[in-house]
Amino acid sequence: MISKGNITKKRVFAPMGIWVLLLGIIFAGANLRAPLTSVGPIIETIRQDTGMSHTIAGMLTTLPLLSFAFFSPLAPKISRRFGLEYTLFGALLLLVAGIIIRSLPYISTLFIGTAVLGIAIAVCNVLLPSLIKREFSNKVGIVTGIYAVSMNLWAAVASGITIPITEGLQLGWRGALACWFLLSIVSIVFWIPQLRVHHQTTSSLDTGGSLWHSRLAWNVTLFMGLQSTAFYVVVTWLPSILHQQGISASGAGWLLSLTQFASLPATLIVSILAGRFSNQRGLVGLSVIFLLFGYAGLLSGFTSLAPLSVTLIGVGIGSAFGLATLFFVLRTHNAHQAAELSGMAQAVGYLLAAIGPTLFGFIHDVTHNWIIPILILVLGACVLFIVGMQAGSNKFVTTIESDYRFSSLKKKA
């Protein structure tokens, strides 16, 4: 497969090779949220055991997001040097190291390990959509949906079983966080067959420079950042919000798990539909409607509405996440451009998202309630709709487009 400015060698698979690659993508995706969502249900236990404030505890979610922000732009450059397959393999090894370091019996290693696993997840976040575009160009929607569902499924499992592991198996919160290295090991095993291919992409054009001057790229970036902010605020503080409203800690953990499970069908369905539509504006609007109704249920404070509210939030977040991931593919022409847009969107987007958990924890420390933080989520959903209308338009972010605009301006001059 050859495109202007980029030379991409697409692999020819035997049928078994396709399934091995797909399983590798699924299991790699499974590791990109579970190590993070496992923190939310036990964050109060961690806070009380270590004596942290809500603001400092929020850093356990903020640190990975900062890692995403600072290391996402480097992922495309590393992959062009070593190849997508080897770069992703190295990231999975780093993830195992981060999980183990985080579980050591020191407060310092808790934060160091969290930052390390954040770096590993950042690389995978950026490069997996690019790999999907390169190898499954005719099935982008469904494969992206399967990959996103794998992320959300294991995120849901992690949210639901963390407290039972902590209390039922009496492993403590450190043991509950450590157990996720097993899933990473499984992913590494499934990824080893991909190392037989040393695939590199060469580029004669620097597409990254033009992206920072593209309005469409910035809308995709803001959409990514706002939906990520909503997700990480919810997985960090939803159990605390529900607990303050009168729901038990265990019940609040399972409701967070319900949020994640509700996102699964939404992520898959929206990804498939988005891949078939010329634009995705209607799907953006639907996602925002679900979020707003879910937030309204939380604001009411009625515990009887909690299952419905968290389900609506899960559907909204799942739909928005599916769209955000697919925009990297749908708004670009080839795998290299997809990686560049993904790197930009995740760098700036996750820097924005990093503010959320710590800011919400700080506001709670000051106000001693969750009303203002939830109202901020409502405002964020409204802005998500505005930028989503642009990100969902039938356009492409490319150097060619930028060159065309420049040539038109020269002719007019």
Side-chain angles (χ1 to χ4, degrees), residues 122-292:
V123 173
C124 293
N125 275 338
V126 171
L127 298 184
L128 282 172
S130 175
L131 181 69
I132 291 171
K133 185 173 182 69
R134 192 188 77 191
E135 304 298 347
F136 299 94
S137 57
N138 295 325
K139 300 182 186 300
V140 164
I142 189 168
V143 175
T144 300
I146 292 171
Y147 152 69
V149 164
S150 178
M151 292 176 64
N152 289 336
L153 173 61
W154 283 97
V157 171
S159 299
I161 69 174
T162 296
I163 288 181
I165 290 175
T166 303
E167 300 175 356
L169 297 181
Q170 298 182 343
L171 293 178
W173 61 265
R174 285 191 171 88
L177 294 181
C179 70
W180 294 105
F181 92 94
L182 295 172
L183 182 60
S184 300
I185 293 295
V186 173
S187 302
I188 289 171
V189 171
F190 273 96
W191 201 255
I192 288 175
Q194 305 310 319
L195 301 183
R196 298 172 185 171
V197 180
H198 187 64
H199 183 127
Q200 288 179 266
T201 302
T202 59
S203 173
S204 60
L205 290 175
D206 182 8
T207 61
S210 66
L211 296 186
W212 296 91
H213 300 92
S214 167
R215 180 178 297 180
L216 178 57
W218 277 105
N219 280 296
V220 171
T221 295
L222 291 174
F223 190 90
M224 179 69 193
L226 290 168
Q227 69 83 26
S228 296
T229 300
F231 172 79
Y232 285 104
V233 166
V234 166
V235 298
T236 304
W237 297 121
L238 182 62
S240 298
I241 293 171
L242 296 173
H243 186 56
Q244 190 175 76
Q245 293 179 350
I247 297 174
S248 68
S250 179
W254 279 110
L255 284 172
L256 176 59
S257 183
L258 175 61
T259 306
Q260 302 300 313
F261 279 114
S263 72
L264 299 181
T267 301
L268 181 59
I269 292 170
V270 166
S271 296
I272 294 173
L273 291 176
R276 295 177 178 176
F277 293 161
S278 60
N279 72 71
Q280 295 74 39
R281 291 178 173 181
L283 295 173
V284 168
L286 193 61
S287 301
V288 172
I289 288 172
F290 279 115
L291 286 174
L292 290 176

Side-chain angles (χ1 to χ4, degrees), residues 242-403:
L242 296 173
H243 186 56
Q244 190 175 76
Q245 293 179 350
I247 297 174
S248 68
S250 179
W254 279 110
L255 284 172
L256 176 59
S257 183
L258 175 61
T259 306
Q260 302 300 313
F261 279 114
S263 72
L264 299 181
T267 301
L268 181 59
I269 292 170
V270 166
S271 296
I272 294 173
L273 291 176
R276 295 177 178 176
F277 293 161
S278 60
N279 72 71
Q280 295 74 39
R281 291 178 173 181
L283 295 173
V284 168
L286 193 61
S287 301
V288 172
I289 288 172
F290 279 115
L291 286 174
L292 290 176
F293 276 103
Y295 296 152
L298 285 184
L299 282 171
S300 72
F302 295 123
T303 56
S304 59
L305 290 177
L308 176 60
S309 299
V310 301
T311 299
L312 292 173
I313 292 172
V315 172
I317 288 177
S319 300
F321 173 72
L323 288 169
T325 304
L326 209 54
F327 285 157
F328 304 149
V329 176
L330 296 178
R331 301 286 83 92
T332 56
H333 281 298
N334 53 55
H336 173 63
Q337 293 166 353
E340 292 290 348
L341 179 57
S342 179
M344 172 187 171
Q346 297 196 54
V348 180
Y350 281 124
L351 187 59
L352 175 63
I355 300 171
T358 302
L359 175 62
F360 278 47
F362 173 75
I363 293 174
H364 179 271
D365 285 339
V366 172
T367 64
H368 303 291
N369 65 63
W370 294 103
I371 294 176
I372 294 178
I374 296 173
L375 288 175
I376 295 175
L377 287 175
V378 171
L379 177 61
C382 295
V383 180
L384 184 72
F385 174 78
I386 295 172
V387 299
M389 288 297 101
Q390 297 300 315
S393 61
N394 187 20
K395 299 178 182 177
F396 294 93
V397 177
T398 67
T399 302
I400 297 171
E401 176 187 90
S402 188
D403 290 343

